[in-house]
Amino acid sequence: MEWFSAENVVAVATAVLGVLASIGVLWYERRVPRRKRIGYRVQMDTPIGSDAGQGRANVRLGLFDETPDMSDATLVLLRVENDGSQSIARGDYTGPDEQLHGLVVEFTERRVRGIAVTHSPGADHLMDHFTPSAGLRESGSLIRLPRVPLNRGEHFKLLVLLTGSRVGSPIRVTGGIRDGEVTPNKAARPDEKPPMFGRAARFITVALTVCVVTLAAIILVRDDTRPPIGCARGELTLTGSTAFAPVLRELAAKYGEACEGATVTVDAHGSTAGIRELADVGARSGKSGSPALVAFSDGPKPSGFPQLRENRVAVSLFRLVVNDRVPLKNLTGDDIRRIYRGDIHDWRQLGGPDLPVLLVSRDANSGTREVFQRRVLGRNEPAQSSRDCTTKDDPQAPVIRCELDSTEQVLTEVGRLPGAIGYSELRSGTKPAGAHPVAIDGDTPSVDTIGTSSYPYREIEYAYTYGSPPADSLASSFLAYLSRGSGQDVVRTHGHLPCATPEGLRICGEE
C-alpha cells in the first residue's frame, strides 16, 4: 500500500489538528484572560443548639452547653475565593465610594452572634484587611466584608455563629466586581483547588483526541486500495505502440492484481502493425462482436479502417538521442532535417567531433517514426542503406541509415555506436546507457511545460477498438481504468500527459 495518498495525508493532518486543539484548550483555559470572578460556597451548616427542631441530634459539653440563648444556634463555614483567571484588587469592587465594604453576606432568618476569619496557606497578608476600620462589620443577619484583594486561587473562610433559625436557611453573598461577577461555586469540593476546566470539558477533549488518532491509525494501517471501477473477467491483448508499451505493461500488471479472473497481455510490435492486426482480427470475427484486442497508436490511424473506434488516451512526448561521443546538447529543426536528408554526414559540420553520422531508425510500422517524420522532418526518412547500422549496403547512399524493430533496440544501438542518432518516447526520469537526449530549437520535452512549450516532437496516443466493445467487457473496463485515478498516475509517471486531466483535455481536444 502506498501510504502517501491524499486520504492518508488528510488523516494525519486531522490527527495533528486534534492534538493541537487539545493543547489549545489547555492553553486557553490557563492563559487566556477571562472575566474576574469571586465564588463562594457553604462548606458547613450544622446545629450546635439543644432545640430538637433543628432536626439533628447533638451532644454539647463545656462552653456550648453553658452559653445562654444557644438552643437554636448553628455554625456555618463559608468559603469565599477567587476562582477566576485574574487577580482581584481593591479597586475592582464596585459600590458607593463612601462604603468600605466590598461584599455582603446575608443569613436569612438568622442572627450573627460571632465571626472567625481564616485564610488560605501562604496568604497571611489577607488578615490585615479584616478589621472594623477596613470595613468588617456585622449587623443582624448581615456581615459586611472589606474590599479584600485576592490573587488567583486565594481564599478566606468565615466561621459564623448564628441563632434564630434552622440549618439550611438561605445564605447569599452579594456585591459587584468590575468586569466580573460574584456567584455560587458548586463545582469544587471543600478545601480543594478548583479545576482549571470542567470535568465534561476534559472528557470531551480527551475522547476527541483518542478518536481522531485512532481513525488516523486505522486509515494508515489498513489497505484501502480499491479495485478498478467495473472489474471484468476474461482475457485481453494490448498491441501496437512500442513507445507506449512500458505504460501498458505496468497497467496490465496492476489491473490483473486488483481484478481476479482478468488476464491482460501486452504484445506490442508497432503502431501501424497493431492497427492492421486489429482490423484483420475484427473482420474475421464478423458478427460475433468486438474482439478482445486493443491497439495503441502514436498518432491517428491511417485512412481505410472505418470500423476502428478511437479513444484519445494521452499526450506522448518523444526525444532525439545521440551517442555520448557527440557532446552536442541542442539541434535546430533545420539541422535535424539536413542530417536526415544526408546534407550533413559528419558531426564536425555542426561543431562536433570527427565522427560519421549514423541514423538508427525504426521500421515502417513504428508510430514513433511516423510522428518524427510528420512533426519534425516534414517528410519521410531516407531509404534504409544498412542492415548492421555500421556499413553501407548501398554505396551511393548519402548517409548510413538502418531500421530496427523496437525502441529498446534503437536505444541500445545509439548507445553502442559512436556518432549514432535515433529517437524514442520520453521515458521520464531515465537516461539510455551510452547516449543522451538533445533539445530541439532549445526546447526539451517535459510534461510540466507541454501546454506552453513549442516543442514539436509530441503526439496524441490513441487506443483503438474494433467497433464499440460491450460496457461490461474487459476492454471497456481496462480503458476506463487507464483514464482514471491510479491509471492516470502510471501514465504520468512514464512521461505522458493523460488526456483525462484538465490540461490534457485541452491539448487532446485541439489536435
Side-chain angles (χ1 to χ4, degrees):
M1 170 185 174
E2 295 182 1
W3 82 267
F4 193 75
S5 63
E7 294 81 4
N8 292 341
V9 170
V10 170
V12 173
T14 304
V16 172
L17 288 175
V19 173
L20 292 178
S22 300
I23 297 174
V25 169
L26 289 171
W27 179 85
Y28 181 85
E29 290 286 344
R30 293 175 179 271
R31 299 297 181 188
V32 175
R34 293 171 293 169
R35 298 187 68 190
K36 299 175 182 178
R37 188 170 68 178
I38 288 183
Y40 67 91
R41 60 185 181 274
V42 177
Q43 293 186 299
M44 181 181 70
D45 188 356
T46 185
I48 59 172
S50 59
D51 186 353
Q54 291 291 333
R56 300 181 195 171
N58 64 83
V59 176
R60 298 186 300 159
L61 295 175
L63 291 176
F64 283 123
D65 187 45
E66 297 170 2
T67 303
D69 302 325
M70 290 290 109
S71 61
D72 58 357
T74 55
L75 274 178
V76 170
L77 181 62
L78 179 68
R79 176 183 172 118
V80 180
E81 60 194 337
N82 179 356
D83 62 354
S85 60
Q86 299 186 68
S87 298
I88 297 174
R90 286 179 53 86
D92 290 326
Y93 293 90
T94 59
D97 293 338
E98 65 272 8
Q99 293 185 1
L100 296 175
H101 66 268
L103 303 175
V104 177
V105 183
E106 179 181 4
F107 300 91
T108 306
E109 300 179 356
R110 288 190 267 189
R111 180 181 178 187
V112 177
R113 303 297 294 271
I115 307 170
V117 182
T118 61
H119 59 80
S120 56
D124 297 346
H125 60 280
L126 294 181
M127 292 299 97
D128 296 337
H129 299 278
F130 290 98
T131 63
S133 61
L136 179 62
R137 295 187 177 85
E138 55 85 13
S139 174
S141 63
L142 304 178
I143 298 177
R144 290 180 170 82
L145 298 176
R147 302 188 176 197
V148 182
L150 293 172
N151 294 326
R152 290 177 55 191
E154 286 186 342
H155 70 270
F156 60 87
K157 296 182 181 181
L158 302 176
L159 181 62
V160 185
L161 177 62
L162 302 158
T163 59
S165 185
R166 59 182 297 140
V167 169
S169 57
I171 301 173
R172 293 191 309 145
V173 178
T174 58
I177 299 294
R178 184 177 292 108
D179 297 325
E181 60 184 348
V182 178
T183 183
N185 182 353
K186 298 179 180 179
R189 295 182 293 275
D191 298 319
E192 289 187 0
K193 184 178 180 179
M196 297 305 294
F197 55 96
R199 180 180 299 175
R202 294 197 300 270
F203 174 80
I204 292 173
T205 301
V206 172
L208 175 63
T209 302
V210 170
C211 290
V212 171
V213 172
T214 302
L215 175 61
I218 291 174
I219 293 176
L220 285 174
V221 170
R222 75 181 181 187
D223 187 354
D224 254 355
T225 304
R226 296 183 178 180
I229 297 175
C231 273
R233 294 174 175 268
E235 296 183 357
L236 176 67
T237 300
L238 310 177
T239 187
S241 170
T242 59
F244 207 62
V247 178
L248 299 178
R249 292 191 185 97
E250 183 172 347
L251 287 173
K254 289 181 178 293
Y255 188 95
E257 291 174 0
C259 293
E260 184 179 357
T263 302
V264 182
T265 303
V266 179
D267 182 23
H269 45 271
S271 298
T272 302
I275 288 174
R276 288 172 178 165
E277 179 186 359
L278 175 62
D280 291 342
V281 173
R284 290 197 302 268
S285 65
K287 297 182 179 180
S288 61
S290 179
L293 181 66
V294 178
F296 288 82
S297 173
D298 307 328
K301 62 180 177 62
S303 60
F305 300 96
Q307 297 299 325
L308 302 191
R309 181 179 178 271
E310 73 176 31
N311 299 270
R312 299 191 177 196
V313 173
V315 181
S316 293
L317 290 170
F318 303 87
R319 62 185 176 180
L320 283 175
V321 291
V322 298
N323 184 269
D324 282 341
R325 292 281 300 277
V326 180
L328 300 179
K329 303 297 184 182
N330 178 67
L331 292 172
T332 67
D334 186 59
D335 290 339
I336 297 169
R337 287 184 285 272
R338 290 167 60 202
I339 289 173
Y340 278 83
R341 283 199 307 263
D343 297 342
I344 295 177
H345 50 80
D346 194 290
W347 286 108
R348 63 182 175 180
Q349 295 176 257
L350 295 175
D354 185 9
L355 287 172
V357 173
L358 306 177
L359 304 182
V360 181
S361 300
R362 289 290 309 282
D363 57 38
N365 289 321
S366 168
T368 306
R369 169 181 165 177
E370 194 278 330
V371 175
F372 178 63
Q373 293 176 153
R374 180 162 45 87
R375 295 277 189 173
V376 181
L377 296 184
R379 54 172 291 172
N380 290 338
E381 292 189 49
Q384 179 177 347
S385 61
S386 175
R387 285 172 294 179
D388 61 6
C389 299
T390 57
T391 58
K392 288 182 182 181
D393 297 330
D394 179 6
Q396 302 301 317
V399 66
I400 293 177
R401 178 182 174 275
C402 62
E403 294 182 359
L404 302 174
D405 295 333
S406 69
T407 299
E408 285 73 16
Q409 292 175 352
V410 169
L411 293 176
T412 299
E413 288 300 287
V414 171
R416 185 179 69 88
L417 300 174
I421 180 172
Y423 41 72
S424 75
E425 77 280 6
L426 178 58
R427 296 196 177 186
S428 180
T430 64
K431 178 183 180 297
H436 62 272
V438 293
I440 300 177
D441 289 323
D443 286 326
T444 57
S446 171
V447 173
D448 296 330
T449 60
I450 192 171
T452 57
S453 171
S454 59
Y455 184 77
Y457 197 7
R458 74 182 192 188
E459 186 54 278
I460 294 176
E461 191 71 30
Y462 291 83
Y464 287 98
T465 58
Y466 193 86
S468 298
D472 59 350
S473 67
L474 182 52
S476 294
S477 176
F478 183 82
L479 289 176
Y481 172 59
L482 188 154
S483 64
R484 297 189 180 114
S486 59
Q488 288 189 16
D489 295 338
V490 173
V491 172
R492 185 179 285 274
T493 299
H494 284 269
H496 308 269
L497 178 66
C499 282
T501 61
E503 186 179 19
L505 281 172
R506 180 175 59 80
I507 298 174
C508 293
E510 290 176 353
E511 300 187 5

